């Protein structure tokens, strides 16, 4: 019942001024065409603080229904157009119809006005959902992984190092237009150490276009870091402090200088997180003879994480037709875990008890560098060359002290695991863009990536003081992979009624894995075509319909292919699967939008779907092993509804509801199982403008019972509240937030086998209830000028998943 609390908000708020009027208008381009999705903001004359905000409709119109009679600044901005700023007066009762506003192409400057406007938290676009992180009060002081876990349609499983989008696994993560290639486990740790203070927005791309990598059946999560668009020298800094089960604090600083032809920026962020997690797992089985077997384990894990991030970049524009840009990104994550656990195994009247002490140290060093050069020929032809070099060093040292007690005997066993994983990636891309006529945009390109990776695990086994190398837990592998790709795509806008996005992508993959043990080498050589189609038609002034189809692939992560055993306790372990096959997914989508609300019906069929961490049971040794497996098929049908609700001039509600039905059949069990599960995902966010610089936020998410292959997750949810105060002048803002107020955002998992009869339970209590106080402030020049330094080498991938 407590999960449903987030469905309700405070029923009343302070009344706004009684003298209210209506403000309406339209925004067009210079040729008279309507300009949809322009940011329209009403600002206070005194300090340019936000009074109300919206975006223009498909026909370019905008409307504010409850505006107090007063003088305001009307600000209208849109990417690629000069900003508009005009003082207006809204009369009492009569309302105001603003004459048509024309935005001109190009760049402009606002010399003296600081625009402190607010974007909507969620923005629905043609092929993606955009989350404007900086507009969330409860995101202050949070990590990027925590923000993701509260995002619409996103399911983060920290227990299994996996992320799902709209009910589908195999999600790629892209940071600043570069797909991440580092192991998913390492990536999850990096996102957990990445401060949301330096993130501008997160894009949930459900139907990636053909110029992006076809990897990832679930789509792409694109994380865009903050980058100042102000002309001159400026920057921001912030401080945060709070607590989970232990202390949490961080700091961030960014500096930028932008001229007419040259720009440079640098940013640094530090995040310290200390928390105590609780892991419980148990299983119960019954043999044909009726003998009952049961196992249970409890472990408290104190985790200390410290993260440093540094990024510096430059851009030089030589003339209107050519530019060069580059950046370097350095990330250092240090994680230390200490824990104590106990286990009990009972077989009939026999009882075995064990105590385990854990000590794990994991260090991740990630460096990436990027350079690009772009130029134009004959105005309509644009070429861009990108090169990226990424290195990663993963060091993991673990010690497990086991003390087992049975009957009148006891034994002590110690395992020491040392894991090392140096990785190198080189990615080169060439993109071409041609605009033969207005409304037609053709793209083509090619890329190639080279990857080299070593993984080695050494294990020392010490029983009652006698030490020897344990070959069962040891392993090594050398991996080489080459991925070649080419694509062609076209965007065509036929007037104001019809738009097309069509493309096809070809990818060829060579993977060679040399195993340093008896489990054998792996050689893969395969190629695929990936078509995509998206058609959008405006049915009415405010109504549009979109129809889409696309094919994508999920390749086995190289860490899942390398079969190296990892021990959780004496009755639970994780293993790889060298026989894992790539999976192909075909998805069909129909979407209807009315103004900024949308409802979508989506159906997908996945062949050889990869389900991570599927359990199997060895009744002879009472051992549960988790390993990735191919499902025979996975079929998913979902209905997604998203809408903003302007309850009042000072109350904005953003909502997202998703209902899925997923059916699948296993392919790896002695007696395979079929199953079908319905699940519901709900996200709500209420923003209240309280006046005098105060803003409040109340929101949360709810995820019903859902499946991940054989794993069945019990319902979870979170309730989040926050308060922000913008200080007078340029003194910054203070935010106070409480995330997961009811402490309900946990991973609770059940699995049941029919043959042999087996019930498995896993409870992973994340203990994410967080109280956080933060302060941020901007300084320097505030003249607006749009300049960006970004990477277009979108083909980096995160297929590495080293355990």
């Amino acid at each position: 019942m407590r999960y449903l609390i987030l469905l309700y908000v405070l029923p009343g708020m302070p009344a706004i001024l009684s003298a209210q009027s209506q403000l309406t208008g339209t925004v067009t381009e210079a040729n008279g065409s309507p300009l949809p999705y322009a940011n329209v903001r009403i600002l206070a004359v005194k300090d340019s603080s936000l009074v109300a905000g919206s975006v223009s409709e498909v026909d370019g119109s905008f409307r504010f229904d409850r505006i107090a009679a007063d003088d305001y600044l009307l600000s209208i901005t849109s990417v690629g157009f000069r900003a508009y700023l005009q003082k207006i007066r809204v009369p009492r009762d009569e309302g105001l119809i603003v004459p048509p506003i024309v935005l001109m192409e190009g760049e402009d400057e606002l010399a003296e006005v600081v625009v402190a406007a607010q974007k909507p938290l969620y923005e629905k676009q043609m092929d993606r959902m955009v989350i404007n992180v900086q507009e969330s009060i409860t995101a202050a002081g949070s990590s990027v992984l925590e923000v993701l876990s509260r995002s619409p349609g996103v399911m983060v499983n920290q227990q299994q190092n996996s992320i799902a989008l709209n009910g589908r696994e195999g999600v790629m993560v892209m940071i600043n237009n570069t797909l991440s290639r580092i192991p998913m486990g390492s990536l999850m740790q990096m996102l957990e150490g990445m401060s949301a203070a330096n993130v501008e927005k997160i894009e949930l791309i459900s139907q990636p276009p053909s110029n992006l990598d076809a990897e990832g059946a679930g789509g792409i999560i694109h994380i865009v870091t903050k980058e100042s668009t102000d002309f001159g020298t400026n920057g921001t800094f912030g401080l945060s402090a709070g607590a989970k089960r232990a202390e949490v604090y961080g700091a961030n600083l960014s500096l930028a200088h932008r001229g007419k032809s040259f720009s440079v920026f640098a940013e640094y962020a530090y995040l310290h997180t200390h928390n105590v997690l609780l892991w419980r797992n148990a299983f119960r089985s019954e043999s044909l003879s009726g003998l009952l077997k049961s196992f249970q384990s409890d472990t408290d894990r104190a985790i200390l994480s410290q993260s440093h991030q540094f990024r510096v970049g430059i851009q030089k524009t030589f003339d209107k037709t050519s530019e060069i840009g580059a950046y370097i990104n350095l990330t250092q994550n240090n994680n230390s875990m200490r824990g104590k656990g106990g286990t009990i195994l009972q077989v009939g009247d026999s009882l075995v008890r064990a105590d385990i002490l854990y000590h794990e140290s994991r260090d991740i060093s990630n460096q990436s560098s990027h350079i690009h050069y772009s130029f134009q020929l004959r105005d309509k032809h644009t070429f861009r060359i990108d090169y990226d070099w990424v290195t990663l060093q993963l060091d993991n040292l673990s010690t497990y002290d086991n003390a087992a007690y049975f009957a009148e005997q006891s034994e002590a066993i110690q395992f020491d695991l040392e894991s090392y994983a140096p990785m190198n990636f080189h990615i080169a891309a060439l993109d071409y863009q041609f605009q033969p006529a207005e409304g037609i945009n053709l793209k083509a390109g090619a890329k190639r990536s080279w990857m080299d990776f070593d993984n080695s695990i050494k294990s020392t086994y010490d029983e009652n003081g006698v030490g020897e190398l344990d070959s069962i837990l040891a392993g090594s592998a050398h991996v080489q992979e080459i991925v070649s790709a080419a694509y062609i795509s076209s965007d065509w806008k036929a007037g104001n009624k019809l738009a097309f996005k069509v493309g096809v992508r070809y990818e060829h993959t060579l993977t060679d894995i040399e195993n340093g043990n008896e489990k054998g080498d792996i050689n893969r050589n395969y190629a695929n075509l990936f078509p995509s189609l998206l058609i959008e038609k405006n049915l009415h002034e405010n109504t549009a319909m979109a129809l889409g189809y696309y094919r994508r692939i999920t390749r086995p992560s190289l860490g899942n292919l390398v079969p190296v055993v990892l021990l959780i306790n004496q009755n639970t372990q994780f293993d790889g699967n060298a026989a894992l096959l790539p999976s192909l997914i075909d998805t069909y989508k129909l979407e209807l939008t009315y103004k900024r609300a949308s409802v979508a019906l989506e159906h997908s069929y996945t062949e050889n779907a990869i389900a991570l961490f599927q359990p199997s049971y060895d009744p002879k040794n009472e051992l549960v092993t988790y390993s990735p497996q191919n499902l025979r098929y996975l079929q998913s049908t979902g209905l997604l509804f998203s809408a903003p609700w302007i309850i009042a001039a000072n109350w904005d509600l953003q909502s997202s509801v998703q209902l899925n039905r997923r059916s699948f059949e296993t392919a790896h069990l002695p007696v395979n199982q079929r199953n079908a599960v319905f699940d519901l995902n709900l996200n709500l966010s209420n923003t209240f403008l309280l006046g005098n610089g105060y803003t409040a936020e109340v929101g949360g998410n709810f995820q019903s019972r859902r499946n991940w292959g054989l794993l069945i997750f019990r319902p979870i949810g979170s309730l989040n509240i926050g308060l922000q105060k913008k200080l007078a002048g340029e003194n910054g803002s203070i935010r106070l937030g409480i995330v997961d107020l009811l402490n309900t955002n946990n991973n609770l998992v059940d699995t049941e086998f029919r043959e042999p009869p087996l019930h498995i339970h896993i409870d992973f209590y994340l203990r994410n209830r967080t109280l956080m106080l933060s302060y941020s402030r901007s300084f320097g020049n505030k003249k607006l000028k749009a300049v960006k330094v970004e990477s277009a080498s979108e083909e980096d991938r995160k297929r590495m998943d080293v355990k």
Side-chain angles (χ1 to χ4, degrees), residues 181-188 392 394 423 798 800-802:
R181 279 177 161 267
I182 70 174
M184 178 53 84
S186 303
L187 178 63
M188 295 273 283
L392 176 77
L394 170 63
M423 310 177 195
K798 58 90 180 122
M800 308 297 296
D801 190 9
V802 184

Side-chain angles (χ1 to χ4, degrees), residues 314-342:
I314 60 172
Q315 177 178 294
K316 171 66 177 177
T317 302
F318 298 101
D319 49 47
K320 293 183 179 180
T321 61
S322 63
E323 71 171 35
I324 188 171
Y327 69 74
I328 297 175
N329 185 80
L330 306 175
T331 302
Q332 178 69 40
N333 281 1
N334 304 106
N335 297 275
S336 176
M337 186 275 288
R338 291 181 180 271
K340 181 178 181 180

Side-chain angles (χ1 to χ4, degrees), residues 18 205 213 347-348 516 518 563 604 625 670 771 778 792:
S18 58
I205 309 176
D213 194 0
V347 181
E518 69 279 2
S604 64
T625 300
L771 173 66
S778 300

